[in-house]
Amino acid sequence: MNEEDKLKGGISSFAIRIIAYIILATTVVLKSYIGSSIAWIQYLDWLSYPLFAFLLAEGFEKTSGKFRYFIRLLLFAAIAEIPFNYLHGGQILYPQQQNGMFTLCMGYLAMCIVDFVYKKTYNIILSFAAMYVYGWGAFYLTKILHFEFYSFGVMFILLFYASNQVKYSKILQVIFMVFLAAIISTDTFVSFIIGNIQYTVPYRAIAIPAMILTWFYKGKRGPNSIGLKVCMYAFYPVLLGVVFGLQHFGIKF
């Protein structure tokens, strides 16, 4: 057991991943069966995506094979695209939207570029300039290709990557949360009722509880076997395939 796994307190990255997968599975099922009738369900995946963005940034920092990591991510993104297209468009090719694992791939490339610039120059200004330029490129590319979460998905990944490089990471994340909730999320609101009171929030602000959950991470990895890694990568495409199969054969919950 390495020193990282001996850390006490907090939750492990494995626990965060399990929570993210539970939310993801719930979201996929709800969106597939009753999403069109309840508006806020369409945005529920914003609760799980920040967790995957966080885990990706942590994985990038800890992996010794960054290229292999990217290839695995890209491979399973391509596999997931087939059931994703059938679920959303009823056909093998559905250019109107691409699954969120491709957004994770773009975020991973962003970290690679910024990391490369910094290690070559050791200049924080140039590193942030590279992040800024790539961010604008991601904005247009994700919009053209219709990636899930668009450039905001890349922004989450870069946020967690930058948080690993600075001393006061929570302050940086709080600033981003305010920016997310008060400025860039004013275009679409989600309403829901608890008791007899109706609440209305910007839909991207749904991500804030997930971001706060990552604050309880204390560096513990948890189980990390090769077989478990494969299962984790395969979870999303298998989940989409199972839900599509259930719909195809008319099986309802």
Side-chain angles (χ1 to χ4, degrees), residues 228-248:
L228 187 59
K229 284 182 178 180
V230 173
C231 291
M232 292 297 184
Y233 277 108
F235 182 88
Y236 185 54
V238 170
L239 171 66
L240 294 176
V242 169
V243 173
F244 170 71
L246 292 174
Q247 284 194 334
H248 180 73

Side-chain angles (χ1 to χ4, degrees), residues 46-154:
W46 283 89
L47 189 58
S48 62
Y49 183 82
L51 300 179
F52 289 113
F54 169 80
L55 292 166
L56 188 67
E58 285 295 311
F60 180 83
E61 290 292 324
K62 292 179 171 58
T63 185
S64 58
K66 288 182 168 54
F67 179 73
R68 293 194 302 271
Y69 196 127
F70 175 73
I71 293 301
R72 288 195 300 267
L73 191 64
L74 184 61
L75 173 63
F76 282 96
I79 294 172
E81 187 67 9
I82 297 173
F84 180 88
N85 288 343
Y86 275 113
L87 271 177
H88 290 78
Q91 54 193 14
I92 193 169
L93 296 177
Y94 184 65
Q96 284 78 6
Q97 192 174 29
Q98 320 307 323
N99 78 80
M101 288 191 73
F102 283 117
T103 312
L104 292 177
C105 289
M106 286 201 66
Y108 191 90
L109 284 177
M111 292 189 292
C112 288
I113 291 171
V114 176
D115 185 67
F116 175 80
V117 171
Y118 182 74
K119 287 181 178 178
K120 288 294 182 181
T121 65
Y122 292 99
N123 188 310
I124 192 68
I125 296 177
L126 287 177
S127 299
F128 272 99
M131 188 183 300
Y132 179 80
V133 172
Y134 185 91
W136 275 108
F139 173 80
Y140 289 107
L141 188 59
T142 54
K143 193 172 182 179
I144 292 170
L145 298 177
H146 304 289
F147 285 4
E148 274 193 306
F149 310 107
Y150 297 97
S151 57
F152 296 107
V154 178

Side-chain angles (χ1 to χ4, degrees), residues 155-175:
M155 288 172 62
F156 275 113
I157 295 168
L158 287 175
L159 168 70
F160 288 119
Y161 171 78
S163 296
N164 286 331
Q165 317 304 321
V166 299
K167 185 175 182 180
Y168 302 104
S169 60
K170 289 185 178 62
I171 294 177
L172 177 64
Q173 292 179 24
V174 168
I175 293 172

